[in-house]
Amino acid sequence: MVPAHGPAGRPAPSPAGPDAGDPAAPARAALAAARAGRSAELDAWLAGLLAPDGTPPAGVALVAVGSHGRRELTPGGDLDLVLVHDGRRDDVAALADRLWYPIWDAGPRLDHSVRTVAEARAVARADLKAALGLLSARRVAGDRALADELRAAVLADWRADARARLADLAVLCRERWTAQGDLAFLLEPDLKEAHGGLRDVDVMRAVAASWVASAPGERVRAAHGLLLDVRHALHAQTGRSADRLVLQEQQAVAEALGLGDADRLLRATAEAARVVVHAGDHLWHRVDRFLAPRRPGGGQRAADRRPVGDGAVEQDGEVVLARSADLGDPSLVLRVAAAAAHAGLPLAPATVDRLAAHAALPEAPWPAAARDALVALLGAGPAAIGVWEDLDQAGIIVRLLPDWADVRNRPQRNPFHRFTVDRHLVEAAAGAAAHTRDVARPDLLLVGALLHDIGKGAPGDHSVTGAARTRGIAARLGFDPGDVDVLTAAVRHHLLLPDTATRRDLDDPATIETVLTALGDAPGRERELLDLLAALAVADARATGPSAWGSWKAGQVAELTRRAAAALAGGPLPPPPAPAPDHLALARHDGAAVRVAGSRVTIAAPDRPGLLWRAAGVLALHRLAVRSARITAAPRGSGGTAVLDFTAVPEFGSPPDPAALEADLRRLLADRLDVAGRLERRAAAVRVRPGAPVAPPRVTVVEDASAVAAVIEVRAPDRPGLLWRVGQAIGAFGLQVRAARVDTLGAEAVDVFYVVDADGRPPADPGVLSDVRQKVLAALR
């Protein structure tokens, strides 16, 4: 959708309110008209039920609350009605039956009650949710004075009890946000209950009714309208009242709204949700100030002003412009933002509006002061995120960084990622602030983290397109050519260390050579680039999601970085680790033995073809997810016993009993354990969510990845015993898995297998590898 423009020609991010230039405008206008028409029809029908002869009974009023009270009832919405009476009629029960039974017969879900004004008032004072509903009470039929009395009484009580009610409301909201998550960042959000959803706008109206804060502004109302239209289209498409926008419904809802595709729908809902959350943050800031303990003696005092940076002062818990601030200074916006972030305070909304409308912004190439202010803002760490959002909501970020528009609110259709692309970048930069002392150039780390996924959304490999964009952005920011090269290389290779560490054999010289070749993209500054990539790997993974970084991956990346640094220094590569004494002792064990130490599982067993993947099958039976696997050559004098090293973690719960593992391993070696059958039964018992998109498996023979083995990469939905199935397919050709690297990204397994022939060498015939690839694909299907 084409963005509107605010003051001074700035692009003002919009939650897609319908206008003449909006392709969704006709569809959305039709939905709004449908809601208004349905509300009018319902009102007329309900009035007829209350007064069949056209004369409403005295002392009775029918009041709608909730979405019907606000004239926002969507096709799947509930009717919420209160029959209010003055307490003097003895036929109220009969009147209620005359209303409720026809409604039930007609099919709408009904929440109903019969109250006097005093009773409704008492319920509202005792029940916060009931009070919120009654704040939107609207007379549908009957005694207008009685309905007005009810509304006035509920409002009066709400305002009188504002301190207690708003404190309770804050707790209720935070509990809901924790349970439902952020609408803007969910792949299947609840449009009503998630943070930033329709419920939060209702809460804003309730806070405004207490006179503690202003009513929702134009942008929030437009955002609310967009979310309401999405909910309406969802109900109409599904015929159900569910408010969760599940994946399989998104395309149909997008088409019904005139948005074209599901990604545009998610971007529009994300933008609307972020408008609501941003406004809500400022509203709750005002509520917190209202709820703060009052000063002794009461009364008002002139607001204290405390300098927090050049051009910025704190006033009433927010950062505002100093009286001497120069709006013509192109570094002012970022300098004030950095001051707010380092002080841990929000920018005052009026200050942001003033900066957006009147402050100068740096022109390319940026002056050093503006670039330093950007780095200072990012260097504030997590405190920078809220301040960045202030600038973003005002349209300032896309003016500073035009490429930002392409990633703004862009969904990442991968449950592994918990944020949209733009928020992920800001989170990564904030996380990188914790590692600035680990690198020679903190500024390059912070800016590199901010830009590392800037290529997402463009065709092709996002690392390649992102590097091209970064070269232009870095030049506009005023970095010198050498720094531009380093930033470009950092974005191009930001996945190099984690991907290589988890998917390649670190003992293979070709692995280190791959890293050194990539570092050559920053000639003369290879070690500096290596340290940047190591820090960026941590920040990127932690900003991705809780399962993207763990002790095993951290150890692998650290070890790869250490080996690459040693190679850069001209020293010899560290030799492969020799078997530890306890492993040698284990190898002398008669038959088979198992040792479990944390995530390390060591198995000694008589050497035989396929031992590695067969043992992995046993681990899978004991609900251990393999992260890496390697077979060590049988030590001399061990009587043909091989030592297998696995990194494996429990799928859930506690690690298995080593004695039980050893017993099953002995059964396997004696051909008395049906691993395949038991794994198939486990896989059959796993529920697959209907309609969830599952990409087909992909198997690739990676050329030149190793000089000592053929490397086969497998990408497939994760399932128990995957290493067993792949190894079984490879073993059918007389080949063996010498080592395996396993990584799980959400529900996706990315596994790499080092394959050798019976003589321990790479297969000589390329045709064999092609056949192996087809066999593995068949096994995965």
Side-chain angles (χ1 to χ4, degrees), residues 395-589:
I396 294 175
I397 296 299
V398 293
R399 293 171 62 200
L400 290 166
L401 302 170
D403 295 270
W404 199 256
D406 289 338
V407 297
R408 191 171 184 273
N409 293 314
R410 181 171 293 280
Q412 307 204 67
R413 291 193 171 274
N414 183 339
F416 200 51
H417 279 274
R418 57 179 172 171
F419 295 118
T420 53
V421 177
D422 60 329
R423 180 58 177 267
H424 168 73
L425 293 175
V426 178
E427 293 274 348
H435 301 276
T436 52
R437 289 178 176 80
D438 302 332
V439 298
R441 289 289 301 274
D443 56 336
L444 299 185
L445 172 61
L446 294 169
V447 174
L450 184 70
L451 300 177
H452 74 273
D453 278 348
I454 198 69
K456 285 192 172 178
D461 184 337
H462 80 278
S463 297
V464 176
T465 56
R469 286 186 172 183
T470 297
R471 184 168 292 280
I473 295 171
R476 291 198 300 273
L477 293 180
F479 285 102
D480 66 39
D483 290 346
V484 171
D485 287 343
V486 173
L487 276 172
T488 301
V491 172
R492 172 67 183 87
H493 300 298
H494 71 273
L495 295 174
L496 173 70
L497 295 182
D499 280 0
T500 304
T502 57
R503 301 176 195 172
R504 295 293 181 265
D505 184 357
L506 300 191
D507 294 332
D508 191 329
T511 300
I512 305 302
E513 189 58 39
T514 298
V515 175
L516 298 183
T517 300
L519 296 177
D521 286 354
R525 299 174 68 174
E526 291 88 350
R527 179 55 198 264
E528 181 181 328
L529 176 59
L530 177 64
D531 290 342
L532 285 174
L533 293 176
L536 182 54
V538 182
D540 182 16
R542 286 181 171 161
T544 297
S547 61
W549 191 254
S551 58
W552 175 74
K553 182 177 284 189
Q556 295 297 110
V557 170
E559 178 60 17
L560 177 59
T561 303
R562 185 179 72 85
R563 295 183 181 214
L568 284 174
L573 291 177
D582 57 338
H583 289 182
L584 294 175
L586 203 64
R588 289 190 288 269
H589 195 280

Side-chain angles (χ1 to χ4, degrees), residues 47 71 87 92 127 135 266 538 637 711 718 779:
R71 293 188 174 90
V92 172
D127 186 331
L135 287 174
L266 284 187
V538 182
V711 177
D718 192 27

Side-chain angles (χ1 to χ4, degrees), residues 625-701:
V626 175
R627 292 289 176 261
S628 68
R630 165 175 290 281
I631 186 167
T632 304
R636 186 173 299 173
S638 64
T641 299
V643 178
L644 289 76
D645 259 331
F646 292 95
T647 303
V649 295
E651 294 174 12
F652 53 82
S654 302
D657 178 13
L661 260 179
E662 184 173 330
D664 270 352
L665 182 63
R666 288 180 182 275
R667 293 189 191 98
L668 172 77
L669 296 173
D671 294 323
R672 291 189 291 107
L673 184 66
D674 181 14
V675 176
R678 286 173 59 176
L679 286 175
E680 289 303 330
R681 287 193 292 274
R682 272 198 65 196
V686 175
R687 288 186 180 178
V688 178
R689 183 173 181 171
V694 178
R698 189 174 72 197
V699 179
T700 306
V701 177

Side-chain angles (χ1 to χ4, degrees), residues 244-335:
R244 191 168 298 281
L245 186 60
V246 297
L247 291 171
Q248 58 263 37
E249 307 293 352
Q250 290 174 7
Q251 183 61 35
V253 171
E255 292 171 359
L257 287 169
L259 290 172
D261 62 60
D263 274 3
R264 290 190 66 194
L265 171 67
L266 284 187
R267 290 189 81 168
T269 55
E271 167 63 20
R274 288 169 76 168
V275 168
V276 172
V277 169
H278 184 255
D281 287 345
H282 287 285
L283 175 136
W284 286 112
H285 178 72
R286 292 186 66 85
V287 171
D288 289 343
R289 286 169 52 195
F290 170 74
L291 296 177
R294 295 173 177 170
R295 292 172 178 147
Q300 296 295 319
R301 190 172 70 187
D304 294 331
R305 291 170 62 91
R306 177 178 66 89
V308 293
D310 185 5
V313 297
E314 176 191 354
Q315 179 176 302
D316 287 337
E318 297 175 325
V319 170
V320 302
L321 290 177
R323 296 185 180 92
S324 60
D326 179 7
L327 291 170
D329 180 354
S331 65
L332 177 68
V333 169
L334 288 167
R335 196 169 63 244

Side-chain angles (χ1 to χ4, degrees), residues 190-231:
D190 188 306
L191 298 165
K192 186 176 181 181
E193 303 293 347
H195 192 194
L198 293 164
R199 182 76 72 192
D200 281 338
V201 181
D202 297 341
V203 167
M204 290 183 190
R205 292 165 173 159
V207 175
S210 71
W211 293 341
V212 170
S214 300
E218 180 182 353
R219 294 192 70 230
V220 173
R221 294 195 300 272
H224 177 267
L226 183 281
L227 295 175
L228 190 61
D229 289 342
V230 176
R231 185 186 189 224

Side-chain angles (χ1 to χ4, degrees), residues 38 121 143 267 291 340 355 359 451 473 570 576 597-598 642 726 759 776:
R38 185 177 182 219
R121 188 175 186 179
D143 191 328
R267 290 189 81 168
L291 296 177
L355 290 171
L451 300 177
I473 295 171
V726 174
D759 297 323
V776 172

